[in-house]
Amino acid sequence: MKFGVVVFPGSNCDRDMQDALQNDLNQEVIMLWHKDKDLSMFTKDDCIVLPGGFSYGDYLRCGAISRFSPMMQSVIEFANKGGKVLGVCNGFQVLCESHLLPGVLLRNANQQFICKNVHLIGVGADRPLKIPIAHGEGRYYADDATLDKLEANNQVIYRYCNEQGEITPQANCNGAARNIAGICNEARNVFGMMPHPERATSEALGNTDGRIILQSLIMGVNAVVTEKAALVNF
Amino acid sequence: MEVTVKTAKQLRLTEEEFELIKQKLGRTPNFTELCAFSGMWSEHCSYKNSIKWLKTLPREGKKMLVKAGEENAGLMDIGDGFGVVFKIESHNHPSAIEPFQGAATGVGGIHRDIFTMGARPIASLNSLRFGNLKEAKTQHLLAGVVHGIGHYGNCFGVPTVGGEIYFEQCYHTNPLVNAMSVGIVKNGETISATAKGIGNPVFFVGSATGKDGIGGASFASADITAESAEELPAVQVGDPFQEKKLLEACLEVIRTGAVVGMQDMGAAGIICSTAEMSAKGEVGMRIDLEKVPTRQKNMKAWELLLSESQERMLMVVEKGREAEVQRVFDKWDLPCSEIGEVTNDGILRFYMHGELEAEIPANDLVLGGGAPQYTREYKEPAYFEKIKAFNADSIDVPADLKAVAEQLITIPNIANKRWVYVQYDSMVGAGTATTNTPSDAAVVIAKPTNKGLALTTDCNSRYVYAEPFTGGMIAVAEAARNIVCSGGQPLGITNCLNFGNPYDPQVYYQFVHAIKGMSEACKKFDTPVTGGNVSFYNQNPDGAVYPTPTIGMVGLLDNVNAKMTMDYKAEGDLLFLVGTSRNDINSSEYLHKIRNVEFSPAPHFDLEEEATLQNKIAELIKAGVIASAHDTSEGGLFVTLLESGFNRNLGVDVKAAKGEIRKDAYWFGEAQSRVVVSVKPDKVDAFKKVIGNHPYEQLGQVTSGAIKIDGSDWGTIQSWKEKYDTAIENLLAGHESEHALSAL
C-alpha cells in the first residue's frame, strides 16, 4: 500500500503528513501537485490524502475552489472507483465541497480559530485518543435525516469526547452536530476528519495517539485490527 | 510642482535634512526624489537616532554566520550543516490604528525577512502590550491583534509557539505588537540582499502594487495623535495565501542557483529594496516603473516607490537564466516581471514610460551611507525621584495572604492567556515539542536535524521604567534563564526596542541606559545581538509607553529529547528553590496592581549571581537530577509553584524558610535569579552533591493536589487552576469574578 499526498498551493500540513507516514509509520509516500491529473500509479488499495491548510487561500468557503482543481477531478474519479481517500482538516472540507462526503463544515460555534488538544472516541474503541485540532471552520453540520443515516450506517467514525471518553456538550470543541469529528462515506472508502492525526505520531512531540488513526487506515487493508482504540471499521 | 522646504516638512523631513539632500544631489530634488529621501531617511528605515547606540551592543560571536544588521535577519550556526535565521520586528503604529491588518502584516513582514535569506520559517512568537483590559478600547485592540496574528500565521502555516502579553495603562493609546520569526537554512543555501553583476536583470516578484501603505515608514516615525486614524491608507493589507506561495516559490527559485540576490519589500517598498541592495553591492540600478505590476490605475512614480503593498520581493537574477526563474513563479501563479537591470555607476534611475523620474546615488539614501546619524541629548527622568523615594516599610504586610494570592492569580499579566493562544495554530509543522510537555521556553525541533531550538521573548518593561540599566539587564537575563530552564544553551538575541519620542531627553535617557544594561548582560551570557528593530514615537500627548526593549532569544539543544520541562511529575517529589529569597517587593505585580504603588525600584538583580545560577541549573539538568525547572517571574514564588502544578493537577506543601523576610516578599516578591526545581526522592542525594555550595532552600514537596502554605490549607490545585484559567475570559465576557480586579 502506498500514499499520495496532494499539495495545493496553500496546503501547509502536506509535509507533516508526509513526515508522519514516511518516517513514523514507514509508508511509501508520493507527493501530488494540484495542477497534475495523473493517478495511474495508484491502485484501489492505495490511499490519497488531502492534507490540512488553506488550499487556495480559502477566502471563499473553505475548499470551495479546490473542488475544481485538476487533481481533484482525478481524486473524485479515484474515489468513485473505490480507491481510498483521507481528508484531514482542510482536506475534510474539500471532500465535503466535492460531495464525496455529505454535510458541510461551518465556522466554529465561538466564531474563532481553535488550536488545542482534544479527545476523540471511535465506535467501539476502548479509550479516547488525544489529537490536536487547528481550524476556524470545523463545525460539522448536516440535516437530521443525513445525520440519522450516517449513524445508522455506522459512518460516524470519530466524536469529540472528554478525557474519560464521554461524549458531552462541553467536549464539543467547535459545536459540531452530534459531536461529530470525522465521518466516512457509505462505501467506506472516503474518510474525513477535522483533527490532525499527523501531529501526534512522534515521541519527540510527546503524543503518538495519531499513529493509531493512521495505522488503522493501513491495517484496514490487511484486515488486521490489533489495537481496540483503532477500531473504526474503515 | 516646485519642491521647497515646506514640502520637505510635510514629508516629515527637517529643514537641515532638506539642505543635506540638496548638498548631496548638488541640486534641488524633484518631488519623487524627495519622497524617496523621506522614506529612506525616516527613523524607521535609517535608524538615525538610534544607530550610534546600537553599535555599542555586542554584535560578534563565534557562531554568527552573518554580521549583525548586514542582512535582513540574524544567522547563527547550529551544527549538522544548518543555521538558524531569526529576527523580531515591531508593527506598533499600524496596529494602533487598524489592529487586525496591522498585526497581520507585522507577522507577514517578519516572515519575509526570514525567507528572503533562503530559510524556511519554522516558528513564530509575539510580544504584545495593551492598556487596561477592562476597557472596551483595549478589548477591541486585543481581539483585532490576536485575530490578525492568527489569520496570517495560521494560513501561512508557521506555528506560533510562544510570546508574552502585558496590560499596563501606559499602552492604552500605543499598544505594542512585536513579531518574531525563526527559520532554518542549510549552510550554503542562504541568499544575500546584495545586487551584483552589471547587466543582470532585476525582477519584481509577488503581489501587484497598490496604494496601500504609502508613507508607512514615515507614519511609524511620528507620535500617535487623534488625527492618526485619518492616516489609514498608511496601514497595509495582508494576504497570507499569497505569502505562502511566495515562500515556496522563493525557496524553490533559490535552489535553481539563478538568483544573485534578493530582498523583501517592507518599509518604503521599492525605493528601500533597490537602494539597500544596490548600496551593499556598490552598484546602481535602472528601473522601469511602468513594468511593475499594479492593482490600481494611474499610479505615480512616487507612489510606486513608496507603496508598502505586502508580499513582494526584489530579485537580481543571473543574466541568461531568466526563464528558469520565470518557470518557478509561473508554477506558483505569482506575478514575476523583469523591471530593470543592475548598472555600474552606483546611481538609481527610475523611469516611467521612458521619462527619467528620479536619479539618486543609492548610497546617499541608506543607513551607513548618506542617511544622517544623530547624537541625541539625554537627561535623567524627573520621575526617578519618586522611585528613589519608595520605602517598602510604608507598605504593611497583609494579614490574609491567601486573599492576596487569589487576587494575584487573576491579574491579566499573570493569568492564563489561553483565550489568546488557542487562536494561534501552535502545532503546524509537527515540531512543537512543548505542547504536551511544557517548558519555560518554547522548544521546536530543528528538522531535519534532531536538535531543538529553545525560543522565548521577554521584557518586563516596568522594571526598565524603574531602572533602565537594570531593567535592560533583567530582560536579557530572564530570556536566558528561560532558555536554560528548558535545557537549551543561549545562542543569540534579536531585539525590538520600543520607546517614546527620541527628541525627549528623558525618553532618550531610558533608551541609552536600557541599551547599556542589555550590552552588559549579552556579554555575560555570550549572546550577541544579531539584529532587530527600533520603534520610537510610541508616545501620545499623555506621555510615552514604558521603555520596552523586547528580547527575542534563541537557544540550542543538541538533542531535542534532552529538553527540561516545567511541570511537576509526581506526588512526593521534593521542592527546592535554587537561588536566594530576598526581602524585596519592588516593582512586583503585587506591589503595583494590588498595593497600587506606581513608583518603586527594579527588583533585586545581580548579573554575577544570575550567571552562576544559570550555570548551576544547566549542570543540574545535565546531571539528570531534577524532574522539573521553572523560574520565578511575575507574581513571585507562589505563582511559580502553582504554574508547575497545573499541567498534571499536582499541588504543593511548602513552608517559607526561616528568616527576616517579610511574608509578602517571600511569596509574591519578584527578586530575580531564582528557579524552583522538583527532585525525585531517590535523587535528592545526587541533587545535593551537584548543587554543592550554591545557595538553595528546601521548600517542601509535591502533593496529589492539595495546596498547603506554611501549614495552612489553601485549597486545591483544581480550584486555583479554575481561577487562573478563566480570569481573562471572564473579564472579556464582562462578568468579573468574585475576586474583582478592583486594584486594576
Side-chain angles (χ1 to χ4, degrees), chain B residues 361-664:
Chain B
N363 201 50
D364 284 349
L365 290 167
V366 302
L367 164 69
Q373 296 185 8
Y374 299 129
T375 302
R376 294 252 76 85
E377 290 174 9
Y378 53 91
K379 71 165 192 218
E380 189 176 289
Y383 70 83
F384 274 24
E385 286 307 317
K386 295 188 211 168
I387 284 176
K388 288 172 193 159
F390 174 72
N391 177 3
D393 293 341
S394 67
I395 307 292
D396 60 326
V397 179
D400 189 351
L401 290 172
K402 181 170 178 242
V404 171
E406 282 171 339
Q407 261 186 296
L408 202 59
I409 201 85
T410 62
I411 292 174
N413 286 352
I414 291 174
N416 193 337
K417 313 295 187 298
R418 71 177 181 188
W419 183 88
V420 171
Y421 66 73
V422 298
Q423 296 189 56
Y424 304 147
D425 190 336
S426 53
M427 302 183 223
V428 62
T432 313
T434 33
T435 302
N436 299 301
T437 48
S439 297
D440 275 5
V443 177
V444 176
I445 307 171
K447 293 179 184 179
T449 75
N450 194 33
K451 291 171 185 283
L453 294 176
L455 310 170
T456 185
T457 62
D458 289 287
C459 178
N460 185 314
S461 59
R462 194 165 52 251
Y463 302 167
V464 188
Y465 179 70
E467 293 179 43
F469 180 78
T470 307
M473 284 200 290
I474 292 176
V476 175
E478 183 177 3
R481 202 186 311 137
N482 284 332
I483 301 276
V484 167
C485 284
S486 64
Q489 188 196 348
L491 265 189
I493 73 162
T494 173
N495 57 48
C496 196
L497 307 174
N498 308 273
F499 288 80
N501 192 322
Y503 291 83
D504 176 342
Q506 302 191 35
V507 166
Y508 210 71
Y509 180 98
Q510 297 171 333
F511 177 73
V512 168
H513 289 82
I515 285 200
K516 287 181 173 175
M518 286 164 54
S519 284
E520 286 305 305
C522 283
K523 283 180 205 152
K524 183 54 101 184
F525 303 117
D526 192 19
T527 50
V529 178
T530 63
N533 124 291
V534 179
S535 171
F536 281 133
Y537 304 97
N538 294 291
Q539 187 150 356
N540 65 73
D542 292 333
V545 298
Y546 285 160
T548 314
T550 307
I551 305 299
M553 190 178 281
V554 173
L556 182 65
L557 286 86
D558 277 326
N559 181 341
V560 71
N561 296 318
K563 176 170 73 79
M564 176 46 62
T565 48
M566 55 91 84
D567 58 335
Y568 307 137
K569 302 302 180 295
E571 179 185 356
D573 287 357
L574 293 149
L575 293 168
F576 296 91
L577 176 73
V578 183
T580 308
S581 294
R582 308 256 169 200
N583 200 19
D584 184 356
I585 54 173
N586 287 344
S587 279
S588 60
E589 286 293 317
Y590 158 70
L591 185 64
H592 187 255
K593 300 288 186 311
I594 295 176
R595 307 306 298 269
N596 297 316
V597 174
E598 178 67 27
F599 299 97
S600 65
H604 166 85
F605 179 78
D606 178 278
L607 190 55
E608 251 345 291
E609 179 188 341
E610 176 74 36
T612 312
L613 169 90
Q614 290 188 19
N615 290 338
K616 189 52 77 178
I617 295 295
E619 213 182 314
L620 290 168
I621 293 171
K622 204 168 167 213
V625 296
I626 57 175
S628 70
H630 184 27
D631 79 319
T632 68
S633 59
E634 286 82 12
L637 179 60
F638 176 72
V639 171
T640 304
L641 287 166
L642 280 189
E643 283 174 344
S644 288
F646 290 148
N647 193 45
R648 294 169 196 253
N649 280 322
L650 294 170
V652 294
D653 181 353
V654 288
K655 285 192 176 72
K658 287 202 173 67
E660 298 300 300
I661 298 175
R662 47 191 288 172
K663 281 282 163 29
D664 53 355

Side-chain angles (χ1 to χ4, degrees), chain A residues 7-16 19 33-35 53-59 107 110-117 130 132-135 196 198-200 202-207, chain B residues 120 147 150-151 153-158 238-242 244-245 248 330-333 419 421-433 435-437 445 447 450 560-561 563:
Chain A
V7 182
F8 296 105
S11 295
N12 59 32
C13 304
D14 46 335
R15 282 188 312 276
D16 299 352
D19 243 23
W33 183 237
H34 69 116
K35 290 182 183 175
F54 290 70
S55 44
Y56 290 86
D58 287 343
Y59 294 121
R107 284 220 64 190
N110 74 352
Q111 302 296 305
Q112 288 174 346
F113 190 95
I114 305 171
C115 174
K116 61 179 184 182
N117 278 320
K130 184 170 86 173
I133 57 164
H135 57 249
H196 289 271
E198 80 281 8
R199 295 184 183 185
S202 124
E203 307 278 0
L205 300 182
N207 183 3
Chain B
R120 177 178 286 281
H147 188 203
H151 165 76
N154 299 348
C155 177
F156 185 57
V158 173
D239 179 350
F241 174 57
Q242 196 77 346
K244 162 72 176 162
K245 294 196 295 174
E248 300 298 342
D330 285 350
K331 174 184 166 187
W332 290 95
D333 300 311
W419 183 88
Y421 66 73
V422 298
Q423 296 189 56
Y424 304 147
D425 190 336
S426 53
M427 302 183 223
V428 62
T432 313
T435 302
N436 299 301
T437 48
I445 307 171
K447 293 179 184 179
N450 194 33
V560 71
N561 296 318
K563 176 170 73 79

Side-chain angles (χ1 to χ4, degrees), chain B residues 320-346:
Chain B
R321 302 185 68 178
E322 295 86 344
E324 289 171 66
V325 170
Q326 194 73 48
R327 211 175 301 132
V328 172
F329 286 90
D330 285 350
K331 174 184 166 187
W332 290 95
D333 300 311
L334 283 168
C336 168
S337 321
E338 190 177 326
I339 61 165
E341 62 171 10
V342 177
T343 59
N344 65 359
D345 58 3

